[in-house]
């Protein structure tokens, strides 16, 4: 039989076993390099999604713009006033030319009256373009909408559309249309 081991030698195999088992157990432990996300609110969650308040600029009276608009209004009024009797004359000539052949004297007179109406419509279109350019110029300068420009634009657009419709109606009545 073997003699019993001294107490210091008996503890040694347990120590060796614990040292061999330590790396295996260490792999099961929580590794300090893994970080879990915080449950605190993130910066994106604390921002506001509300639309920002935008100050709407108010148009200030502009004498230069008002002067240009007054001239354009006079042109538009004069053209509209002259268009009405010219359109009535063109309608009468178109009625007379209905029995005439294309290229006849009455047909040529009616076409000439239509060309006269096109001149009035071109003047209205030019005024409308000038109004648009005035609005575009103000917008390019960063100025707010000017109510007088909008009002005159609407009036000029309505006059242009009315003149175009009347010219088209008269042209339809002519032979060869």
């Amino acid at each position: 039989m073997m003699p019993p081991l001294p107490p210091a030698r008996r503890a040694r195999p347990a120590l060796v076993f614990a040292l061999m088992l330590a790396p295996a157990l260490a792999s099961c432990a929580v590794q300090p390099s893994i970080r879990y996300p915080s449950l605190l609110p993130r910066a994106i969650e604390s921002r506001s999604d509300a639309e920002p308040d935008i100050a709407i600029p108010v148009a200030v009276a502009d004498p230069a713009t008002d002067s240009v608009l007054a001239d354009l209004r006079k042109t538009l009024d004069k053209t509209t006033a002259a268009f009405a009797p010219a359109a009535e004359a063109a309608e009468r000539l178109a009625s007379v030319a209905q029995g005439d052949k294309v290229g006849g004297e009455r047909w040529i007179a009616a076409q000439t009256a239509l060309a006269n109406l096109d001149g009035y419509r071109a003047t209205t279109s030019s005024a409308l373009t000038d109004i648009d350019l005035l609005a575009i110029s103000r917008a390019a300068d960063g100025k707010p909408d000017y109510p007088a420009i909008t009002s005159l634009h609407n009036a000029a657009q309505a006059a242009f559309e009315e003149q175009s419709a009347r010219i088209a109606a008269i042209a339809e009545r002519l032979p060869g249309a």
Side-chain angles (χ1 to χ4, degrees):
M1 194 164 311
M2 277 182 66
L5 292 175
R9 297 222 355 124
R10 274 188 258 155
R12 198 173 268 184
L15 181 63
V16 171
F17 179 72
L19 288 176
M20 288 179 10
L21 191 60
L25 291 174
S27 66
C28 294
V30 175
Q31 298 176 2
S33 63
I34 296 176
R35 300 217 31 169
Y36 293 99
S38 171
L39 296 178
L40 295 174
R42 295 174 291 169
I44 192 77
E45 294 170 343
S46 63
R47 73 174 184 168
S48 172
D49 288 334
E51 291 291 327
D53 290 333
I54 298 174
I56 299 173
V58 177
V60 178
D62 185 2
T65 301
D66 290 337
S67 173
V68 171
L69 289 175
D71 291 343
L72 289 169
R73 171 64 79 181
K74 285 178 190 173
T75 301
L76 186 62
D77 290 344
K78 191 185 311 181
T79 302
T80 302
F83 181 84
E88 290 173 11
E91 285 175 343
R92 282 192 305 274
L93 290 171
S95 295
V96 170
Q98 282 181 342
D100 201 8
K101 63 181 182 180
V102 174
E105 282 185 40
R106 292 180 290 187
W107 183 85
I108 291 174
Q111 289 293 341
T112 303
L114 275 176
N116 189 27
L117 292 180
D118 276 334
Y120 291 121
R121 181 174 56 180
T123 302
T124 303
S125 176
S126 176
L128 185 58
T129 301
D130 291 343
I131 296 166
D132 285 340
L133 289 175
L134 190 59
I136 290 169
S137 173
R138 284 185 59 84
D141 292 340
K143 296 179 181 175
D145 288 340
Y146 203 64
I149 292 175
T150 304
S151 174
L152 188 58
H153 178 271
N154 293 341
Q157 184 69 39
F160 178 78
E161 289 172 2
E162 180 183 327
Q163 290 171 0
S164 296
R166 195 153 182 198
I167 290 170
I170 295 169
E172 285 289 320
R173 295 171 51 193
L174 287 173

